[in-house]
Amino acid sequence: MLLEIAFVVALAVGVPALFWIMVRHSSEKIVHQYREMGQHFKVELTEPEAQLGGFVRSEPFIHGVYRCREMSISVPGKGLQNTRQIETILKVEALEKSFNWQMTATGLLGGLRQRDSGNKVRWVSGDRAFDAAVDVRTNDDDRLLRMFDANRRATVIAILKGSKGTLALRDGVLSFAEFGLIADDRKRERFEQIAEVLCDLAEIVEVN
């Protein structure tokens, strides 16, 4: 009987302790990557305090000015279409509010992501490889065609193909959203590279 009680007590204590260790370890990995990004972009890092004894840990986020533009990387409270799918969002300021577009990889998930594009008709570039890989919706077909030459279309394919991500320009904000958290060097470096692409696109969209 005593052995059974001891086992139950050990289980009651051990499982929460193991969960706490796992949550803390995962959080530390993510915080490390955000500290690296904060240093890379030379912007402010915010690390929310853990709650409920460390069992609840909100994601860190960075925000500030990079290449003379407001930018941020964060995890919103709600996922895609208000689901529990966690996604990380990179945002870069663009001084253009009348021109909107959204790009996803083709396929079922891309179609789901395009549900918030305002029922716009899919844009076709005439580039077979691009049109087969990327689903695009916009409010200005001609302007989009001028903006995305062959090299930029290739860059978009490289970013979106197989990524479960979304590139968009909406209400003066260029963004890239992708499922998952930034918890390793590879994903951090990917977001750092895409931030450069968004800054380049912001400069282009303001003169086209």
Side-chain angles (χ1 to χ4, degrees):
M1 183 64 179
L2 290 176
L3 185 60
E4 292 176 351
I5 294 174
F7 176 77
V8 171
V9 171
L11 191 64
V13 174
V15 170
L18 179 61
F19 179 73
W20 183 88
I21 292 170
M22 292 173 62
V23 169
R24 181 176 179 179
H25 178 66
S26 176
S27 177
E28 287 175 347
K29 288 169 59 179
I30 294 168
V31 168
H32 170 72
Q33 297 301 332
Y34 274 79
R35 286 173 179 167
E36 291 288 320
M37 289 192 295
Q39 293 177 3
H40 175 84
F41 294 115
K42 295 181 173 58
V43 296
E44 184 177 349
L45 165 67
T46 298
E47 299 180 35
E49 292 186 3
Q51 301 175 349
L52 297 178
F55 283 94
V56 177
R57 296 174 181 267
S58 298
E59 310 304 331
F61 59 94
I62 60 171
H63 50 98
V65 176
Y66 179 68
R67 288 177 55 176
C68 301
R69 298 180 184 279
E70 292 284 342
M71 66 88 66
S72 67
I73 300 178
S74 62
V75 177
K78 294 180 180 179
L80 175 64
Q81 300 294 329
N82 293 327
T83 67
R84 293 184 179 180
Q85 289 276 13
I86 296 174
E87 59 181 2
T88 300
I89 300 182
L90 161 65
K91 294 181 179 180
V92 171
E93 176 188 34
L95 302 178
E96 171 53 69
K97 294 188 177 181
S98 63
F99 182 28
N100 297 323
W101 48 259
Q102 183 164 288
M103 303 182 182
T104 66
T106 54
L108 181 61
L109 182 58
L112 178 61
R113 283 184 172 274
Q114 289 289 12
R115 284 171 57 187
D116 61 358
S117 62
N119 296 319
K120 293 182 178 67
V121 176
R122 183 177 174 185
W123 178 77
V124 178
S125 69
D127 178 336
R128 289 187 178 183
F130 181 84
D131 294 335
V134 184
D135 184 336
V136 184
R137 313 296 170 98
T138 182
N139 67 345
D140 193 329
D141 294 4
D142 293 338
R143 194 172 178 184
L144 194 69
L145 185 61
R146 293 195 305 271
M147 181 176 174
F148 285 92
D149 58 17
N151 289 334
R152 294 187 191 116
R153 291 196 300 269
T155 298
V156 170
I157 292 174
I159 291 173
L160 294 180
K161 195 170 183 180
S163 75
K164 299 179 182 179
T166 301
L167 280 168
L169 171 63
R170 185 180 293 112
D171 299 327
V173 177
L174 275 159
S175 65
F176 172 71
E178 185 174 65
F179 286 146
L181 301 172
I182 302 175
D184 56 49
D185 292 345
R186 183 177 179 181
K187 190 150 189 173
R188 169 179 55 79
E189 291 167 0
R190 171 175 165 74
F191 267 78
E192 290 171 351
Q193 293 166 0
I194 294 174
E196 300 296 339
V197 173
L198 292 190
C199 287
D200 292 342
L201 289 176
E203 293 173 0
I204 294 164
V205 76
E206 290 168 0
V207 297
N208 273 278

